[in-house]
Amino acid sequence: MDGDNGVVEEVLVARTSRRTEAEPWNAQSPDNSAQNRLLIKGGRVVNDDMMQDADVYIEDGIIKQVGLNLHTPGGTKVIEAKGHLVIPGGIDTHTHMQLPFMGTFAVDDFYTGTRAALAGGTTMIMDFALPDRGESLVEAYHRWRSWADPKVCCDYALHVGVTWWSDKVGREMQELTEEHGVNSFKMFMAYKDTWQLNDSELLASFKTCKQLGALAQVHAENGDIIKENSRKLLSLGITGPEGHEMSRPEEVEAEATNRACVLANQAGCPLYVVHVMSKSAADVISSKRKQGHVVFGEPIAASLGTNGTHYWHKCWRHAAAHVMGPPLRPDPQTPAYLMDLLANGDLQTTGTDNCTFSASQKALGKDDFTKIPNGVNGVEDRMSVLWEKGVVAGKMDPCRFVAVTSTNAAKIFNIYPKKGRIAVGSDADIVVWNPHATRVISAKTHYQAVDFNVFEGMEVHGVADYVICRGRVVVEEGNVRAVSGMGKFVPKLPHSQHVYGRIEERDRANAPHKVERAAYDGPVASLNGPAPSSAVEDSIIPASSQEFYTRGPTRSGGVNLHDSSFHVSGAQVTDKSPKRPSVKVNNPPGGKASGSFW
Ligand code: URP
Ligand code: ZN
Ligand code: ZN
């Protein structure tokens, strides 16, 4: 039984077997009610800002006490956690369960995908409702809810895609933010002819996010360049998966990342760059942050754990299994570089972009790399890959691990401290993490439905021995007890303090100020009278532009286009319309304003 019918069920699965028949779940069973009270004893509690030896007592899904020598009622179930870390359940900020995409559907649905998430220590996912071009955003949201609600085994939230633009889209963003618990919207700069927005549409959507207190997210790749490059490569006979990376190299991601940062900053809108895949895109984010932009970057398990050399693998199926957008990068230093930035605070969260397609689905593009469904796995292995490449590699301590696997996401998406913290009053989403145990990742043993794992053969330290989701033990000594429909939708409210606190201050600090001066009381040229004398004409050329007008006018008296094409679409020397008043804010006396007017 796969939970499709919405019946509440429990599945007991041993880690070594991929599928076991479901057993009926009795919500009233003594086993279930005993789990209302739970004590995690003897472990080391890790939050993003501190570690302490403490027990954790849970009742009805909420953390009630954290400390030593706790008084707990009789009959409380006890988990012995000596030698283990007790960490907040992971939050995967980026998944696409059962996404309808490129002519097919992602094979991991909200049941198999969230069950696998739990197995690896992730207790909440954030998925994307992506409307078709022209489709109502609110309808797409409800469609995703109707798919997810009966199936999810862990908690989830939704981002919504802005895949086209109109005033109606803006109004629907407002409705989603105010009434449906959505505070983040993803805009695509790639997927030309389907989801891609142009710059004015991006700007309009960023301004709308700003007005709503929502977070703008971008898929940052230049879709026009990708389309053009793909055409060229195919015409050269390059049809295999290597063409996927060649059509969208690093600078194509970096250019879009930079453009998104500039547009968002001009709109005064905070920006969240999803699936950061390259060193150069990460560098853009890091340098914009240094300039004060409110921008966040999300590398994913795949970009931190493997690389794009696989696109040149001789086995087509192997190479195609790694196809995703933006692609993994052939520079083998990329994962370690991204991990360094994540460890040091230049990047903030980790998702997976889990969007899985099996061999026969990938084969839709066997003769044309542009038709290979884009997406890889990660939801099950993110926590272990991060632990191995981050903590075991000596780049981050357990606190930073917690920050980048749950707490920062909870803060940015405004669900903190309900999620992402072990503290009294928080949801009891907890992982009893064995930092010393090892496992070897393989598609043969993973819980995901997909038949390939991009981390195949990787030995990782860090195993989720127990996973507790809203107070219920869902992983116990390697067994996953996944209950279809047990997870809840978590609404995300707008105006996250972590995101907008600084935006509001920046708006205030960067507000443009006019120069107070005495009014000009000299002569003013007439615009309706006879053609101005050359002396007057000279005086109406903007001073900053005079250097461009070194040649005389054309024989017909027009602007000589050889002087500068820059002016053709701007103010013309012969314009008879009054010049617009300008407010110069770049370097006003008293400080540079790099913010926005919106
Ligand atoms: O390859 C990817 N990333 N597939 C999922 C859709 C997206 O762009 O996130
Ligand atoms: Zn994307
Ligand atoms: Zn994605």
Side-chain angles (χ1 to χ4, degrees):
M1 198 190 294
D2 67 357
D4 255 342
N5 53 12
V7 174
V8 181
E9 61 188 285
E10 180 175 9
V11 185
L12 200 64
V13 188
R15 180 166 277 287
T16 45
S17 73
R18 286 205 43 219
R19 280 165 192 270
T20 308
E21 279 305 300
E23 290 164 11
W25 168 259
N26 176 1
Q28 302 306 318
S29 74
D31 191 30
N32 185 31
S33 56
Q35 287 189 358
N36 288 343
R37 293 194 296 272
L38 185 65
L39 180 67
I40 305 170
K41 205 170 162 37
R44 191 157 175 72
V45 172
V46 185
N47 278 310
D48 68 319
D49 54 357
M50 65 178 293
M51 291 199 262
Q52 65 182 129
D53 291 332
D55 302 339
V56 180
Y57 175 66
I58 297 158
E59 229 177 63
D60 297 329
I62 302 292
I63 298 172
K64 297 286 181 185
Q65 299 181 60
V66 180
L68 294 173
N69 308 314
L70 304 180
H71 294 287
T72 57
T76 299
K77 181 182 167 89
V78 178
I79 292 176
E80 290 295 346
K82 201 165 167 35
H84 287 62
L85 302 177
V86 178
I87 62 175
I91 300 175
D92 185 337
T93 50
H94 189 150
T95 68
H96 300 281
M97 303 306 174
Q98 64 191 74
L99 176 70
F101 192 42
M102 298 181 75
T104 184
F105 286 83
V107 65
D108 274 295
D109 67 7
F110 279 101
Y111 177 66
T112 60
T114 55
R115 183 180 61 160
L118 289 172
T122 288
T123 53
M124 178 172 178
I125 62 163
M126 297 187 185
D127 208 87
F128 291 80
L130 298 177
D132 296 331
R133 223 181 160 72
E135 190 194 357
S136 150
L137 274 62
V138 175
E139 275 168 29
Y141 163 89
H142 285 301
R143 194 148 51 96
W144 254 260
R145 290 290 310 264
S146 74
W147 289 340
D149 284 344
K151 289 189 187 179
V152 279
C153 304
C154 69
D155 283 1
Y156 80 106
L158 287 176
H159 316 291
V160 173
V162 175
T163 50
W164 59 291
W165 184 253
S166 73
D167 290 349
K168 178 176 177 234
V169 170
R171 286 193 299 276
E172 290 208 307
M173 288 169 73
Q174 180 171 7
E175 183 180 334
L176 288 164
T177 306
E178 291 174 357
E179 295 171 32
H180 296 297
V182 174
N183 71 3
S184 44
F185 295 92
K186 179 177 179 184
M187 276 59 82
F188 291 87
M189 301 170 81
Y191 305 121
K192 194 165 169 60
D193 306 324
T194 53
W195 293 337
Q196 184 175 328
L197 299 188
N198 64 33
D199 285 359
S200 16
E201 293 168 333
L202 284 170
L203 199 52
S205 60
F206 290 169
K207 284 164 64 178
T208 305
C209 283
K210 166 74 181 288
Q211 282 159 10
L212 299 174
L215 181 57
Q217 302 176 290
V218 278
H219 174 132
E221 284 187 291
N222 186 316
D224 295 74
I225 296 180
I226 294 168
K227 187 171 181 186
E228 178 62 12
N229 284 348
S230 301
R231 194 189 55 73
K232 271 193 230 157
L233 288 159
L234 289 171
S235 75
L236 292 171
I238 299 172
T239 58
E242 69 281 11
H244 176 74
E245 205 283 335
M246 292 157 82
S247 69
R248 46 218 293 169
E250 283 207 32
E251 67 176 9
V252 174
E253 183 187 356
E255 182 278 327
T257 306
N258 184 67
R259 186 158 36 101
C261 288
V262 172
L263 293 174
N265 192 52
Q266 287 299 310
C269 177
L271 184 69
Y272 181 99
V273 183
V274 304
H275 45 45
V276 177
M277 302 301 288
S278 65
K279 289 158 109 177
S280 34
D283 283 344
V284 170
I285 294 166
S286 164
S287 89
K288 293 294 180 190
R289 285 175 65 84
K290 289 189 180 78
Q291 292 165 32
H293 289 211
V294 183
V295 54
F296 306 98
E298 168 207 82
I300 62 170
S303 64
L304 294 161
T306 185
N307 64 56
T309 55
H310 293 280
Y311 296 127
W312 280 263
H313 198 280
K314 289 286 185 191
C315 166
W316 186 92
R317 192 272 173 278
H318 180 102
H322 293 80
V323 166
M324 65 160 297
L328 294 157
R329 298 304 173 186
D331 176 349
Q333 304 305 321
T334 306
Y337 189 87
L338 294 178
M339 186 62 82
D340 284 334
L341 267 59
L342 188 64
N344 296 321
D346 291 308
L347 301 171
Q348 292 71 41
T349 60
T350 51
T352 56
D353 204 359
N354 194 92
C355 186
T356 49
F357 299 99
S358 288
S360 61
Q361 295 175 296
K362 290 276 182 182
L364 290 166
K366 68 185 177 47
D367 302 318
D368 176 348
F369 65 83
T370 66
K371 297 195 167 70
I372 300 170
N374 285 203
V376 297
N377 65 288
V379 74
E380 182 170 343
D381 300 315
R382 179 183 65 113
M383 300 286 278
S384 294
V385 169
L386 261 288
W387 185 266
E388 184 67 25
K389 305 284 182 185
V391 182
V392 177
K395 291 175 187 264
M396 55 175 76
D397 68 1
C399 290
R400 183 67 190 164
F401 172 79
V402 165
V404 302
T405 54
S406 66
T407 312
N408 288 354
K411 289 179 180 171
I412 290 171
F413 293 103
N414 215 9
I415 51 173
Y416 181 83
K418 175 183 170 70
K419 303 289 185 189
R421 186 155 192 93
I422 295 184
V424 173
S426 295
D427 283 358
D429 295 341
I430 297 175
V431 179
V432 177
W433 187 252
N434 186 340
H436 306 298
T438 59
R439 68 184 178 98
V440 177
I441 298 176
S442 175
K444 292 192 184 69
T445 51
H446 71 197
Y447 286 101
Q448 295 202 230
V450 67
D451 58 4
F452 193 92
N453 193 313
V454 293
F455 309 114
E456 185 72 32
M458 186 188 290
E459 182 174 85
V460 286
H461 293 79
V463 172
D465 275 0
Y466 292 87
V467 179
I468 294 127
C469 191
R470 282 193 190 257
R472 182 192 289 242
V473 182
V474 289
V475 175
E476 190 159 13
E477 289 171 355
N479 291 319
V480 179
R481 301 156 64 93
V483 180
S484 175
M486 185 198 96
K488 287 198 165 55
F489 176 74
V490 180
K492 298 176 289 145
L493 298 180
H495 296 287
S496 160
Q497 170 61 25
H498 190 75
V499 172
Y500 270 92
R502 195 147 60 91
I503 289 279
E504 281 148 20
E505 289 307 315
R506 275 169 69 81
D507 284 351
R508 196 186 42 73
N510 293 335
H513 296 290
K514 64 180 279 188
V515 175
E516 296 298 342
R517 56 166 73 84
Y520 171 77
D521 59 0
V524 177
S526 164
L527 296 178
N528 299 323
S533 72
S534 62
V536 175
E537 185 172 354
D538 275 346
S539 74
I540 65 169
I541 296 172
S544 62
S545 312
Q546 281 182 349
E547 63 204 74
F548 293 103
Y549 291 92
T550 52
R551 297 168 199 239
T554 59
R555 249 182 292 168
S556 61
V559 173
N560 191 323
L561 298 183
H562 296 289
D563 279 330
S564 168
S565 60
F566 174 79
H567 291 275
V568 171
S569 60
Q572 304 297 298
V573 68
T574 49
D575 273 357
K576 293 286 184 278
S577 52
K579 283 191 279 149
R580 284 178 297 158
S582 69
V583 184
K584 185 168 167 53
V585 292
N586 279 345
N587 283 299
K592 183 173 169 168
S594 56
S596 67
F597 302 137
W598 290 296

